[in-house]
Amino acid sequence: MTSSDLQEQLNLKAMNLLQEDADKIEKLIEVQMENLATRYCPLYEEVLDTQMFGFSKEVDFAVRAGLIHEQAGKQILSRLERNLALLYEAMNNKENKE
Amino acid sequence: MTSSDLQEQLNLKAMNLLQEDADKIEKLIEVQMENLATRYCPLYEEVLDTQMFGFSKEVDFAVRAGLIHEQAGKQILSRLERNLALLYEAMNNKENKE
């Protein structure tokens, strides 16, 4: 294997790992979205914030270690942040109606 | 550069980055240790716990991405945890004396 093959393989692996972790947070967001109307768990917000913080440290490390481009890291984070913002907006709207 | 040179270089870079971050937390612990007798900031514990969580996510990612051995990751984390435990012990002893 050449060094550029190895670099490509490591970069791909890193991106797949990050995507896996992003998917888990995405799943948490979806579950909470679905449960808005029925059972709301007040700890969800804290759990999501903690997960997002941990994930941002992972992404940051992957960028610093030269495994992913800064731009790719920003993209994966901002997608999650957007979905999280939608969830919080929905939660707020629900509270205001109650 | 051969692929094994590259792998070695990336592993070393990852380990240096982790050591850098561990040193920052170590510094936070030292500062709080020195300040035990004078000014105690109650938020310190929370800040340290958050930093430790973020750092453990970085270490975990580095292991999963194949950049450092699991054993090396455990060592760097347990060293920090030991120092953190010493700090909390000192904080407790101080509280009991007051």
Side-chain angles (χ1 to χ4, degrees):
Chain A
M1 183 161 50
T2 69
S3 64
S4 68
D5 284 345
L6 174 67
Q7 181 77 60
E8 204 177 315
Q9 190 184 305
L10 289 171
N11 295 0
L12 197 65
K13 188 175 183 182
M15 204 58 208
N16 285 339
L17 286 171
L18 291 177
Q19 194 56 57
E20 229 175 70
D21 291 349
D23 289 347
K24 278 184 206 153
I25 300 181
E26 196 73 60
K27 190 77 207 158
L28 285 175
I29 296 176
E30 275 170 28
V31 169
Q32 180 64 359
M33 273 289 202
E34 284 162 15
N35 288 347
L36 267 189
T38 51
R39 55 217 150 90
Y40 165 67
C41 169
L43 279 178
Y44 235 91
E45 196 162 342
E46 189 150 340
V47 170
L48 278 170
D49 282 350
T50 306
Q51 292 301 316
M52 279 298 284
F53 170 73
F55 184 63
S56 74
K57 294 299 258 187
E58 279 180 36
V59 171
D60 190 45
F61 180 79
V63 172
R64 289 158 71 210
L67 295 178
I68 66 166
H69 285 294
E70 200 179 336
Q71 203 47 39
K74 277 187 187 157
Q75 261 172 21
I76 199 168
L77 270 176
S78 67
R79 196 193 129 89
L80 271 180
E81 276 160 7
R82 222 167 26 240
N83 289 338
L84 204 56
L86 288 175
L87 171 64
Y88 289 159
E89 206 185 302
M91 283 161 83
N92 262 333
N93 285 343
K94 195 178 168 283
E95 259 176 40
N96 292 340
K97 276 184 197 153
E98 269 166 6
Chain B
M1 184 160 47
T2 69
S3 65
S4 68
D5 285 345
L6 174 68
Q7 182 77 60
E8 202 177 316
Q9 191 183 305
L10 289 171
N11 295 0
L12 195 65
K13 189 175 181 181
M15 204 57 208
N16 285 340
L17 287 170
L18 291 178
Q19 194 55 57
E20 230 174 70
D21 290 350
D23 288 347
K24 279 184 207 152
I25 299 181
E26 196 73 60
K27 190 77 205 158
L28 285 176
I29 296 176
E30 276 171 27
V31 168
Q32 181 62 1
M33 273 290 202
E34 284 163 14
N35 289 345
L36 266 189
T38 51
R39 54 214 151 90
Y40 165 67
C41 170
L43 279 178
Y44 236 92
E45 197 162 340
E46 189 149 341
V47 170
L48 278 171
D49 282 350
T50 306
Q51 292 301 317
M52 278 299 284
F53 170 73
F55 184 62
S56 73
K57 295 299 259 187
E58 279 181 35
V59 171
D60 190 45
F61 180 79
V63 172
R64 290 158 71 210
L67 295 179
I68 66 166
H69 286 292
E70 200 179 337
Q71 202 48 39
K74 276 186 187 158
Q75 261 173 20
I76 199 167
L77 270 176
S78 66
R79 194 193 132 89
L80 271 180
E81 276 159 7
R82 223 169 22 242
N83 288 338
L84 206 56
L86 287 176
L87 171 64
Y88 289 159
E89 207 185 303
M91 282 161 82
N92 262 333
N93 285 344
K94 193 177 171 282
E95 259 175 41
N96 291 342
K97 278 186 195 150
E98 269 165 8

